[in-house]
Amino acid sequence: MSPKTKDFYGKDVASAIKEACDTLDVAQENLDIEVIETGTTGIFGLIRKKAHIRVTVQSDNDDAEPKAKKKARPAKPRPQKKPEPREHKPVSPPAVPETSEEMNEAEDEDNGENGERAQSREPVELSPESLEVIRAECAKILELMACPSTVEIETQEGSVHCQVSGEFEDDLTGEEGRTLDSLQYLLRKIVSRKISERVRLAIDVGDYRERRNQELRDKAVDYAALVKQNGKTQVIASLSPSERRIVHVVLQDDADIRSRSVGDGLFKKVLIYKPGKGKAGGRKKGRPQNRRKNDSSRKKDS
């Protein structure tokens, strides 16, 4: 790159050209401009790539060339390399929740071995403008997913519920609600950037949440009965904070059963077991030693 050639960046090409003219103190017609990148605005403004230009100050020897011709000189875009193919992996929420809402849910759910109830929070009254922002952003995500649906907003005890309905309910729910959980996570991240109020936000597609919650209640009761019957610990795998809380609340009044969340990240498994089972398991380890002592004493007697 010659001493007269420099690179400049801006939110778009026009801003980059203005930055070059101001920095070099040269009029635009006295610059040879090569556009490297035109700049892009990512989805929802979360990812942004700046415009990139390369300019060269024209020397005095270039005055013989008509200015009009110079100004009309087309920019030479640099050929872009094709991105290397990447291995497709299913999108899942990060292992550690990043928004304050997910952090609060995880802390509330794991407060106590048997799911003690979280301390109540003061309801947050949202303005109609904020509610419309939430509805619009949710509808926008669904449009980008090629699953346009009807979105209705309602508030309950300080929480905002987005009710989605339409012909794509099965696609938006996904296996065991994983697509719905990811959609809810993404919307919370976007809304936290759009409005200043602290929001407790949930999304439901059709009546999935109600059916899923009842399924977890029934499974918790059935597993508790199995533990009482045979003493073996039962496991419900890969549950979100709200789902784990449902299991804990169902079993919290049962004095013969304990429930505990284990694992790392946002999705954990719940163990359902009898209290004191670990101590009983520890006594079994000493039995082989007693047998060996008895066997040695028999040999001495013989």
Side-chain angles (χ1 to χ4, degrees), residues 9-17 37-39 49-53:
Y9 300 84
K11 65 181 181 178
D12 51 31
V13 174
S15 300
I17 294 175
E37 294 284 349
T38 58
K49 193 171 185 179
K50 292 185 176 181
H52 178 194
I53 64 172

Side-chain angles (χ1 to χ4, degrees), residues 5 81 107-108 131 147 160 180 195 202 207 219 233 294:
T5 302
K81 296 181 180 180
E107 291 173 0
D108 288 348
L131 293 176
C147 297
V160 178
L180 180 57
I195 63 178
D207 61 345
K219 183 175 291 188
T233 299
N294 294 335

Side-chain angles (χ1 to χ4, degrees), residues 41-290:
T41 300
I43 299 175
F44 312 123
L46 297 178
I47 304 174
R48 186 186 299 274
K49 193 171 185 179
K50 292 185 176 181
H52 178 194
I53 64 172
R54 181 166 294 162
V55 301
T56 303
V57 180
Q58 299 174 4
S59 62
D60 296 337
N61 296 331
D62 296 335
D63 293 341
E65 185 177 359
K67 291 184 178 180
K69 185 178 180 180
K70 291 183 182 180
K71 192 172 183 180
R73 181 181 300 171
K76 298 178 181 180
R78 175 175 293 183
Q80 298 182 353
K81 296 181 180 180
K82 294 183 178 180
E84 298 181 358
R86 297 181 179 179
E87 182 181 357
H88 176 71
K89 296 181 179 180
V91 179
S92 59
V96 179
E98 297 183 7
T99 63
S100 59
E101 178 59 28
E102 277 116 9
M103 290 291 290
N104 290 331
E105 280 193 2
E107 291 173 0
D108 288 348
E109 181 274 328
D110 290 323
N111 182 21
E113 186 180 48
N114 216 35
E116 296 178 3
R117 295 182 183 273
Q119 295 180 354
S120 60
R121 300 194 193 97
E122 295 182 1
V124 178
E125 294 295 336
L126 295 179
S127 63
E129 292 78 10
S130 297
L131 293 176
E132 176 57 26
V133 168
I134 296 174
R135 190 206 63 79
E137 292 296 337
C138 183
K140 187 175 182 180
I141 296 175
L142 299 177
E143 289 282 350
L144 293 172
M145 293 174 64
C147 297
S149 305
T150 302
V151 181
E152 297 180 355
I153 299 293
E154 61 179 3
T155 57
Q156 297 178 1
E157 299 179 354
S159 298
V160 178
H161 293 259
C162 298
Q163 185 65 44
V164 178
S165 58
E167 58 180 312
F168 301 101
E169 292 183 2
D170 292 339
D171 297 328
L172 294 175
T173 301
E175 184 178 358
E176 294 186 351
R178 291 294 168 262
T179 303
L180 180 57
D181 288 335
S182 299
L183 177 62
Q184 179 173 277
Y185 176 85
L186 179 60
L187 182 60
R188 286 174 174 175
K189 294 285 287 184
I190 295 173
V191 168
S192 67
R193 295 170 177 260
K194 295 287 185 178
I195 63 178
S196 58
E197 296 99 331
R198 182 180 178 182
V199 183
R200 299 185 66 183
L201 177 62
I203 303 179
D204 194 5
V205 175
D207 61 345
Y208 172 77
R209 295 292 189 194
E210 181 179 352
R211 290 186 286 107
R212 173 63 171 169
N213 293 346
Q214 187 59 48
E215 176 187 341
L216 289 174
R217 294 186 188 98
D218 295 341
K219 183 175 291 188
V221 173
D222 293 341
Y223 280 9
L226 286 176
V227 173
K228 293 178 182 179
Q229 181 180 354
N230 56 29
K232 294 182 180 180
T233 299
Q234 301 295 323
V235 180
I236 306 179
S238 189
L239 299 182
S240 66
S242 59
E243 292 174 337
R244 298 196 301 270
R245 187 182 298 112
I246 289 172
V247 175
H248 292 318
V249 170
V250 169
L251 302 177
Q252 67 180 355
D253 295 329
D254 194 330
D256 298 327
I257 294 296
R258 294 289 184 272
S259 62
R260 180 163 59 93
S261 300
V262 295
D264 298 323
L266 187 62
F267 293 90
K268 302 178 183 179
K269 58 185 177 182
V270 173
L271 303 183
I272 302 174
Y273 60 97
K274 278 188 175 182
K277 181 182 177 183
K279 296 181 180 179
R283 289 196 296 268
K284 293 180 180 180
K285 296 180 180 179
R287 292 180 180 178
Q289 297 179 359
N290 295 334

Side-chain angles (χ1 to χ4, degrees), residues 18-53:
K18 184 177 184 302
E19 178 69 18
C21 294
D22 294 341
T23 302
L24 299 175
D25 195 19
V26 177
Q28 181 176 345
E29 56 266 21
N30 294 329
L31 296 176
D32 285 335
I33 302 172
E34 179 183 359
V35 179
I36 308 300
E37 294 284 349
T38 58
T40 59
T41 300
I43 299 175
F44 312 123
L46 297 178
I47 304 174
R48 186 186 299 274
K49 193 171 185 179
K50 292 185 176 181
H52 178 194
I53 64 172

